[in-house]
């Protein structure tokens, strides 16, 4: 396998396993918890390292997983006192745990390769060179780890799909159905921490957040169906990984950074141009709605006054403007629109409604 | 005694201690608004997301001038807040998802710029990433002055716009009905927050600055229900943590200043949550016990009364 292919595969695995969990974080309004976890797992890694004294030991992942869950638990504990709001609770807990990790590193482990920068930043380009032998094949270690994590996450979501779905949207219902939403919640959070550990070596802890949140919220813009959202997030994450990789190679810049930029760009494109919910569409719809509404108001005004004694004043060519109380520019625009659609006509310097206009009113009311 | 001696005699030491104290106070004061508006993590997001701003400012000017780099960070920080607002107002995506998304994507963009810069010839660019990870022990007099001036300006703004800020923080909709430009004031508060974050970030680093924005406010909130007192307390807590943290880290070997400050302010938070009167957990437990006791006594009295009535006795 070429180095490029290995990098792409790892990126796809990371993106897929992150976004499949991230979708639930987004729906549970816990996106920032992922940011907190990606920082605090450093403490788990450090403590596990002090116990086993081996940087490549799987216990490091275990330690990180435990601290990740501990983070969530502490945040919830702090929040449950009702003295601190949830966002503040996150903001109090994660700097503390992260700081303890940094203090431990600089006090007792400054001579080993466990610096904060490497955890925060990561480097995907080095991943292919760290290999292991399995059944005579030389395979990149990162690929094996990320693939395993992806399989575990995927199976978790498939097996517990019903439980996850119900406890995400209605915790109380899940509890009454006997689904143990708290257990599901902590299982999800353990997987989020394990995924963060497995991914940060490749992409760095902060970009794990981009991989976790970016594809799901993009998919969320497109669909409201959870299954489709999960599927789309995996696709979007994978596509971003491949595009990002090629752009990074082309411009010779950070691969993981470029992938997250691509994730961001895809989000912005979907946000602006997506049908039904995109910014452009919404903008035009709002504008059209306003115009259509105003035309309707105009027609109602003319219709109500046609044939009455005050018609000459209320619907007069020069006087109607004062009765509608619109801005001059807007008034002219609406008038033009109504004339253009042949909904009104002028008779003897008085605005009259056409048959088509009456039909229009009947239809829209 | 040794510490006091150090404080008076040693110049670097004094500068760092002063800087951390000022940073703690200023961010503590501004942080109150963020905490009350449930936007505590905005500081975290802005501080990560400002990395591309620093890089772009450097690419354009090719000089590592602190003020210009900070300006770049500031501009990008504002753009982030704008984007978060757009996402929040126009989609079903919630505030925290938008925050996490913008934070990480902009940070990714920053990494792209950093790796691009590392390729360029010339040695001047090193240390740009240190800019946002920061080191409190590298405070120089200029940083302290910058912090002092910004702090004073921010304070004056808060005092001048006190009424507006207060009402917008607690009830923006009510403020709107009163004719206050709620939205503009909300944005203005966010801008002030970004300024604080950006000023602090270079000296203190991302994690410290987010802790310093949130924790003093959270601690102060436990002791009072009055905004003015909360802000003053928050400033004091922040300053105290900054000073104590520096003292501890400077007198011990191998203790990084920033994280020690975070630990100190976290201890203040924990103590406040446990021991504050009226709201604190200890107080609550004591009150609950007392209430239970009174309730039990009442119950007992009632029982005695009932049995007496049953026996036909009048009390």
């Amino acid at each position: 396998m070429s180095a490029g292919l290995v990098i792409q595969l790892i990126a796809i695995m990371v993106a897929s396993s992150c976004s499949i969990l991230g979708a639930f974080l987004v729906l549970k309004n816990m996106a920032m918890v992922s940011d907190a976890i990606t920082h605090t797992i450093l403490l788990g890694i450090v403590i596990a390292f002090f116990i086993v004294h081996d940087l490549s030991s799987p216990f490091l992942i275990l330690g990180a997983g435990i601290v990740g869950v501990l983070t969530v638990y502490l945040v919830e504990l702090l929040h449950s006192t009702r003295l601190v709001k949830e966002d503040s609770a996150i903001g109090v807990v994660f700097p503390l745990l992260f700081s303890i990790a940094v203090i431990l590193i600089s006090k007792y482990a400054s001579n080993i390769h466990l610096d904060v920068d490497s955890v925060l930043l990561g480097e995907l380009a080095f991943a292919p060179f760290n290999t292991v032998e399995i059944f005579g094949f030389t395979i990149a270690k990162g690929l094996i780890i990320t693939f395993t994590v992806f399989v575990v996450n995927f199976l978790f979501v498939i097996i517990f799909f019903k439980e996850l779905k119900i406890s995400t949207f209605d915790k109380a219902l899940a509890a009454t159905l006997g689904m143990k939403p708290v257990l599901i919640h902590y299982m999800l959070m353990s997987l989020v921490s394990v995924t963060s550990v497995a991914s940060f070596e490749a992409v760095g802890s902060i970009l794990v957040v981009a991989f976790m949140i970016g594809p799901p919220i993009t998919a969320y813009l497109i669909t409201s169906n959870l299954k489709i959202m999960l599927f789309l997030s995996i696709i979007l994450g994978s596509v971003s990984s491949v595009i990002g990789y090629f752009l990074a190679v082309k411009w010779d810049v950070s691969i993981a950074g470029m992938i997250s930029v691509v994730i961001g760009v895809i989000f912005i494109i979907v946000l602006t141009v997506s049908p039904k919910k995109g910014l452009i569409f919404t903008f035009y719809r709002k504008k059209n709605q306003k115009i259509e509404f105003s035309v309707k108001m105009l027609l109602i005004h003319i219709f109500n006054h046609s044939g009455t004694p005050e018609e000459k004043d209320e619907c007069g060519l020069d006087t109607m403007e004062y009765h509608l109380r619109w801005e001059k520019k807007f008034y002219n625009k609406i008038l033009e629109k109504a004339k253009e659609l042949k909904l009104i006509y002028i008779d003897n310097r008085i605005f009259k409604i056409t048959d088509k206009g009456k039909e229009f009113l009947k239809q829209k009311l | 005694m040794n510490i006091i001696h150090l404080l008076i005699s040693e110049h670097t030491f004094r500068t760092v201690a002063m800087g951390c104290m000022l940073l703690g106070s200023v961010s503590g004061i501004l942080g109150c608004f963020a905490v009350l508006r449930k936007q505590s993590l905005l500081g975290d997001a802005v501080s990560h997301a400002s990395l591309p701003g620093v890089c772009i400012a450097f690419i354009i000017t090719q000089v590592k001038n602190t003020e210009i780099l900070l300006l770049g960070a500031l501009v990008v920080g504002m753009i982030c807040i704008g984007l978060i607002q757009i996402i929040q107002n126009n989609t079903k995506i919630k505030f925290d998802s938008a925050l996490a998304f913008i934070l990480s994507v902009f940070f990714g963009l920053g990494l792209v710029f950093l790796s691009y810069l590392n390729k360029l010839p010339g040695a001047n660019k090193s240390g740009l990433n240190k800019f946002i990870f920061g080191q409190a022990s590298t405070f120089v007099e200029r940083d302290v002055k910058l912090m002092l001036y910004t702090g004073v300006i921010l304070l004056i703004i808060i005092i001048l716009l006190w009424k507006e800020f207060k009402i917008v923080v607690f009830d923006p909709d009510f403020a709107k009905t009163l004719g206050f430009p709620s939205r503009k004031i909300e944005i203005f508060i966010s801008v002030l927050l970004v300024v604080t974050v950006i000023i602090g970030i270079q000296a203190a680093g991302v994690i410290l600055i987010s802790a310093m924005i949130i924790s003093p406010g959270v601690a102060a909130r436990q002791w009072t229900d009055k905004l003015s007192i909360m802000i003053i307390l928050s400033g004091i807590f922040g300053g105290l943590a900054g000073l104590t943290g520096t003292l501890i880290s400077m007198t011990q070997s191998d203790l990084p200043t920033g994280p020690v400050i975070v630990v100190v302010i976290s201890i203040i938070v924990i103590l406040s949550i446990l021991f504050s009167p009226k709201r604190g957990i200890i107080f609550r437990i004591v009150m609950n016990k007392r209430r239970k006791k009174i309730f039990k006594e009442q119950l007992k009295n009632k029982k005695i009364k009932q049995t007496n009535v049953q026996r036909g006795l009048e009390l």
Side-chain angles (χ1 to χ4, degrees):
Chain A
M1 259 195 273
S2 72
L5 189 63
V6 172
I7 292 174
Q8 286 179 61
L9 281 177
I10 292 178
I12 289 174
M13 284 303 138
V14 170
S16 304
S17 44
C18 283
S19 53
I20 204 171
L21 299 181
F24 293 101
L25 294 180
V26 168
L27 293 172
K28 282 174 159 231
N29 297 333
M30 295 186 70
M32 284 310 278
V33 176
S34 68
D35 181 50
I37 289 179
T38 51
H39 283 92
T40 54
I41 50 172
L42 181 65
L43 181 61
I45 296 173
V46 173
I47 292 175
F49 174 77
F50 284 151
I51 296 169
V52 296
H53 286 283
D54 175 15
L55 267 181
S56 55
S57 160
F59 281 108
L60 266 57
I61 293 187
L62 187 70
I66 292 170
V67 173
V69 172
L70 180 73
T71 310
V72 177
Y73 176 72
L74 286 178
V75 168
E76 273 163 20
L77 182 71
L78 201 53
H79 183 214
S80 71
T81 62
R82 279 178 285 141
L83 297 175
V84 182
K85 293 187 188 105
E86 188 158 24
D87 63 320
S88 300
I90 297 172
V92 169
V93 170
F94 97 84
L96 175 62
L97 296 185
F98 186 75
S99 296
I100 294 174
V102 174
I103 290 174
L104 286 177
I105 291 176
S106 46
K107 189 94 183 148
Y108 303 108
S110 47
N111 51 346
I112 55 153
H113 175 74
L114 192 71
D115 61 313
V116 182
D117 282 13
S118 74
V119 173
L120 288 176
L121 302 177
E123 184 51 74
L124 200 50
F126 298 148
F129 306 112
N130 188 359
T131 57
V132 285
E133 293 240 349
I134 291 181
F135 307 124
F137 294 104
T138 315
I139 301 175
K141 203 176 141 200
L143 190 57
I144 295 172
I145 294 174
T146 50
F147 182 71
T148 316
V149 170
F150 172 69
V151 171
V152 171
N153 289 354
F154 191 73
L155 287 177
F156 171 71
V157 171
I158 297 244
I159 294 170
F160 293 107
F161 185 75
K162 197 172 59 188
E163 284 83 356
L164 273 170
K165 188 172 171 177
I166 295 177
S167 58
T168 299
F169 294 111
D170 195 340
K171 216 171 163 182
L173 177 65
T176 42
L177 291 176
M179 280 174 176
K180 298 198 173 43
V182 178
L183 181 68
I184 292 284
H185 176 70
Y186 277 102
M187 277 164 81
L188 178 69
M189 286 308 162
S190 328
L191 284 182
V192 167
S193 342
V194 169
T195 309
S196 306
V197 192
S199 314
F200 83 77
E201 227 173 316
V203 299
S205 70
I206 297 159
L207 296 188
V208 171
V209 181
F211 284 73
M212 258 181 204
I213 309 301
I217 64 169
T218 314
Y220 194 34
L221 285 180
I222 302 170
T223 177
S224 300
N225 183 318
L226 180 60
K227 266 184 198 161
I228 299 176
M229 181 176 160
L230 287 172
F231 179 70
L232 267 181
S233 330
I234 293 178
I235 299 284
L236 284 167
S238 308
V239 169
S240 311
S241 300
V242 176
I243 298 174
Y245 170 76
F246 281 109
L247 288 179
V249 170
K250 192 176 163 206
W251 291 323
D252 191 15
V253 290
S254 156
I255 299 169
M258 201 65 226
I259 295 174
S260 69
V261 171
V262 172
I263 290 175
V265 170
I266 291 181
F267 173 79
I268 288 171
I269 292 173
V270 171
L271 178 67
T272 39
V273 302
S274 97
K276 285 188 192 172
K277 282 175 192 133
L279 285 186
I280 295 178
F281 187 86
T282 314
F283 178 75
Y284 275 104
R285 196 185 54 207
K286 275 187 185 159
K287 210 171 146 188
N288 284 338
Q289 265 173 352
K290 196 177 171 193
I291 290 175
E292 191 184 289
F293 179 75
S294 305
V295 170
K296 219 189 302 173
M297 289 308 292
L298 180 80
L299 290 180
I300 290 172
H301 180 83
I302 297 172
F303 183 76
N304 279 346
H305 292 290
S306 64
T308 60
E310 64 268 17
E311 186 185 8
K312 196 163 193 285
D313 183 45
E314 288 276 0
C315 303
L317 190 59
D318 310 305
T319 51
M320 187 166 75
E321 194 186 337
Y322 303 107
H323 291 281
L324 283 167
R325 290 169 190 270
W326 285 338
E327 257 180 59
K328 181 135 188 115
K329 219 169 119 189
F330 186 71
Y331 170 76
N332 287 334
K333 196 171 150 193
I334 299 298
L335 221 52
E336 280 303 309
K337 187 87 187 168
K339 272 186 208 160
E340 192 188 302
L341 292 170
K342 295 205 169 59
L343 301 173
I344 54 172
Y345 66 99
I346 301 166
D347 178 38
N348 198 14
R349 295 188 71 76
I350 292 173
F351 285 110
K352 298 269 187 193
I353 187 164
T354 61
D355 289 341
K356 200 181 165 197
K358 279 175 192 157
E359 197 58 35
F360 179 82
L361 264 187
K362 218 182 264 168
Q363 229 172 55
K364 296 281 177 181
L365 286 175
Chain B
M1 257 351 258
N2 192 22
I3 294 171
I4 298 168
H5 177 73
L6 261 174
L7 251 185
I8 298 166
S9 62
E10 182 117 20
H11 181 231
T12 356
F13 189 88
R14 212 169 48 215
T15 317
V16 175
M18 274 292 288
C20 290
M21 201 175 85
L22 271 174
L23 173 70
S25 291
V26 173
S27 49
I29 290 168
L30 250 295
C32 284
F33 294 108
V35 168
L36 291 173
R37 290 173 66 212
K38 293 190 199 167
Q39 299 196 333
S40 313
L41 295 165
L42 205 60
D44 184 44
V46 168
S47 51
H48 279 98
S50 59
L51 181 60
V54 174
C55 295
I56 294 170
F58 180 74
I59 291 174
I60 293 172
T61 59
Q62 296 290 325
V63 240
K64 219 160 67 186
N65 179 317
T66 311
E67 281 80 8
I68 292 172
L69 296 186
L70 285 179
L71 196 68
L74 194 64
V75 172
V76 173
M78 307 281 190
I79 293 173
C80 289
I81 289 197
L83 281 175
I84 292 169
Q85 283 295 336
I86 290 176
I87 295 174
Q88 199 193 355
N89 292 341
N90 293 297
T91 66
K92 53 187 170 177
I93 294 164
K94 296 276 161 36
F95 177 72
D96 71 317
S97 297
L99 207 63
F101 173 70
I102 292 292
L103 172 165
S104 51
V105 167
F106 269 68
F107 190 78
L109 185 65
L111 289 187
V112 168
F113 280 126
L114 269 187
S115 55
Y116 169 78
L117 279 170
N118 280 337
K119 261 188 342 185
L120 296 181
N124 196 15
K125 78 250 173 182
S126 64
L128 269 187
N129 61 340
K130 282 280 168 295
F131 198 88
I132 85 149
F133 289 119
Q135 281 237 302
S137 51
T138 58
F139 262 113
V140 288
E141 227 173 296
R142 222 167 64 145
D143 298 331
V144 177
K145 273 190 187 147
L146 185 66
M147 201 103 58
L148 185 64
Y149 297 148
T150 332
V152 170
I153 293 170
L154 290 175
L155 264 186
I156 292 172
I157 293 175
I158 291 176
I159 292 169
L160 286 179
L161 292 173
W162 178 253
K163 197 173 53 185
E164 283 82 357
F165 278 15
K166 195 170 167 178
I167 201 159
V168 165
V169 162
F170 289 111
D171 199 339
D173 294 327
F174 178 57
K176 215 180 258 170
T177 58
L178 288 182
F180 282 105
S182 250
R183 259 218 102 86
K184 276 180 199 153
I185 296 172
E186 280 190 315
I187 293 170
F188 188 61
I189 295 177
S190 303
V191 169
L192 292 187
L193 194 65
V194 177
V195 171
T196 318
V197 169
I198 301 294
I199 297 289
I201 193 178
Q202 170 231 358
V206 173
I207 304 294
L208 174 59
I209 194 66
S210 26
M212 289 315 269
I213 291 279
I214 303 164
S215 299
V218 170
R221 177 71 188 89
Q222 310 308 322
W223 300 93
T224 176
D225 289 331
K226 222 169 133 72
L227 181 64
S228 51
I229 298 176
M230 178 180 166
I231 284 181
I232 293 169
L233 269 181
S234 181
I236 294 174
F237 285 154
L240 197 68
L243 187 65
T244 327
T246 322
L247 292 180
I248 295 171
S249 81
M250 288 288 179
T251 47
Q252 305 278 315
S253 63
D254 288 334
L255 275 188
T257 315
V260 174
I261 295 176
V262 174
V263 172
V264 172
I265 190 67
S266 303
I267 291 172
I268 295 180
V269 171
I270 293 167
L271 291 180
S272 302
I273 286 175
L274 286 179
F275 295 112
S276 85
K278 283 191 188 169
R279 280 168 68 97
I281 289 175
I282 305 280
F283 175 80
R284 241 197 266 167
I285 293 171
V286 171
M287 272 319 275
N288 271 348
K289 273 211 176 124
R290 199 173 292 168
R291 232 176 265 147
K292 239 181 221 165
K293 210 173 146 192
I294 293 171
F295 182 66
K296 258 185 197 158
E297 249 157 47
Q298 279 175 342
L299 216 63
K300 223 160 110 193
N301 286 344
K302 217 175 177 183
K303 236 180 208 164
I304 293 170
K305 213 172 170 182
Q306 267 176 353
T307 40
N308 284 348
V309 169
Q310 277 169 0
R311 284 177 191 159
L313 293 165
E314 222 29 78
L315 273 173

